[in-house]
Amino acid sequence: MAEPISKQQMKCDEATAKSLIVDNWNSVNSSVSETAQRCGRSPDSVRVVGVTKYVDAEITSWLVEAGCHDLGENRPQLLESKFQTLDDSNIRWHQIGNLQRNKVRRLLPAEPLVHAIASERLLDALHNECLLQSRSIDGLIEINVSEEEAKTGLPIDQLEPLLVHWRELAGSSNAGLNINGLMAMAGWGTDETAAARQFAKLRELRDQMESSTGISLPELSMGMSGDYPAAIAEGATLVRIGTRLFQGVLPTG
Ligand SMILES: *Cc1c(COP(=O)(O)O)cnc(C)c1O
């Protein structure tokens, strides 16, 4: 994976970058609101997670200044270092990528929402470390909705057993891991129609699980720069948007 860029590597100068980031943030938000309204949903029901894995802490801080207070990183080390550098209690952190168990202890002080829980071992590690550190965090189970061999995420048929396991593990404790939704990525190279089908599948799965287990799963994290309108139409509550927020700033964008 490419290293996050610093301001020396931007496509434009600092003042231009700051104003582009403000414009991009505003246009993504209006587009998300309009899409929600067109689908008969309240604009408040969809939150934009600004994915900042492409840029260093300084450029990330310009997005925060533009008004984005939900920041998503896919590498836990980068999340942890930005959490320390930016030191801003108004930021809600999102660990959106794959997470190894040996990274959990150092990640938890940021109290991130963990989007990509796809195994019982990771779920247990998160819950147990939360108890050790007396913390509560929210987490989402990542589902492999595209059913491609190489994709990340839990196979659909393993979701119900994992939820039942989580309830037994966490049921009576106040601190710990709170599972409150599902996450998915559309398969690479899927067109908008195929992506929409996969997002619909995640929503239907959520509805089934809520009725079969009684566990409430209000959050659906789905949709990125290229497919968020389809995700919102299918019920996304969190959209994870990176590239579009840094358009004109990233050397390749
Ligand atoms: C990078 C990333 C995103 C953002 O993708 P863009 O296409 O840049 O908007 C969303 N979700 C995950 C899990 C990612 O790794």
Side-chain angles (χ1 to χ4, degrees):
M1 188 179 316
E3 287 304 306
I5 65 156
S6 61
K7 68 181 170 194
Q8 289 75 27
Q9 296 159 289
M10 299 187 307
K11 206 176 185 176
C12 56
D13 63 45
E14 180 169 336
T16 310
K18 285 182 176 173
S19 87
L20 279 171
I21 288 171
V22 169
D23 292 348
N24 291 342
W25 170 248
N26 291 335
S27 89
V28 164
N29 271 288
S30 357
S31 158
V32 163
S33 297
E34 282 161 23
T35 307
Q37 269 162 329
R38 208 168 48 238
C39 303
R41 301 183 53 196
S42 151
D44 303 339
S45 65
V46 189
R47 195 144 46 116
V48 178
V49 176
V51 175
T52 48
K53 64 187 179 189
Y54 306 110
V55 299
D56 70 3
E58 182 177 12
I59 304 175
T60 299
S61 75
W62 303 343
L63 182 65
V64 177
E65 283 162 26
C68 177
H69 293 108
D70 283 276
L71 300 184
E73 290 289 336
N74 64 347
R75 282 189 285 177
Q77 297 95 321
L78 201 55
L79 192 158
E80 183 195 335
S81 82
K82 287 185 184 177
F83 168 69
Q84 286 163 0
T85 309
L86 300 181
D87 188 25
D88 179 346
S89 60
N90 292 317
I91 296 173
R92 173 142 207 219
W93 294 94
H94 297 254
Q95 168 61 37
I96 60 174
N98 176 46
L99 176 61
Q100 288 168 332
R101 285 177 300 152
N102 63 5
K103 302 290 189 320
V104 165
R105 185 175 57 81
R106 296 191 51 174
L107 180 70
L108 279 191
E111 300 193 341
L113 191 166
V114 178
H115 288 234
I117 303 171
S119 73
E120 183 174 310
R121 295 195 322 164
L122 176 61
L123 187 150
D124 288 359
L126 283 164
H127 182 67
N128 292 330
E129 191 60 35
C130 277
L131 295 185
L132 284 173
Q133 298 188 20
S134 302
R135 298 182 190 282
S136 300
I137 63 164
D138 290 332
L140 311 175
I141 310 283
E142 182 184 2
I143 303 294
N144 181 351
V145 281
S146 71
E147 290 174 56
E148 294 163 40
E149 294 287 337
K151 289 293 294 183
T152 57
L154 193 75
I156 288 174
D157 61 359
Q158 291 176 27
L159 176 58
E160 185 160 352
L162 186 60
L163 288 170
V164 169
H165 167 80
W166 167 72
R167 183 167 47 201
E168 284 163 6
L169 183 75
S172 55
S173 49
N174 295 322
L177 173 66
N178 176 42
I179 297 293
N180 65 353
L182 305 180
M183 179 267 208
M185 293 219 271
W188 295 118
T190 37
D191 60 32
E192 183 107 16
T193 329
R197 259 200 312 275
Q198 292 174 15
F199 297 145
K201 199 152 138 192
L202 192 72
R203 174 175 42 77
E204 287 157 12
L205 181 64
R206 185 274 305 276
D207 295 346
Q208 283 165 20
M209 286 302 125
E210 284 193 326
S211 67
S212 67
T213 65
I215 295 169
S216 160
L217 301 165
E219 301 284 3
L220 288 177
S221 168
M222 53 191 196
M224 324 202 304
S225 293
D227 55 19
Y228 70 87
I232 292 170
E234 297 298 342
T237 60
L238 294 159
V239 290
R240 309 178 308 269
I241 297 181
T243 311
R244 253 200 78 166
L245 293 175
F246 297 103
Q247 230 162 46
V249 176
L250 297 175
T252 53

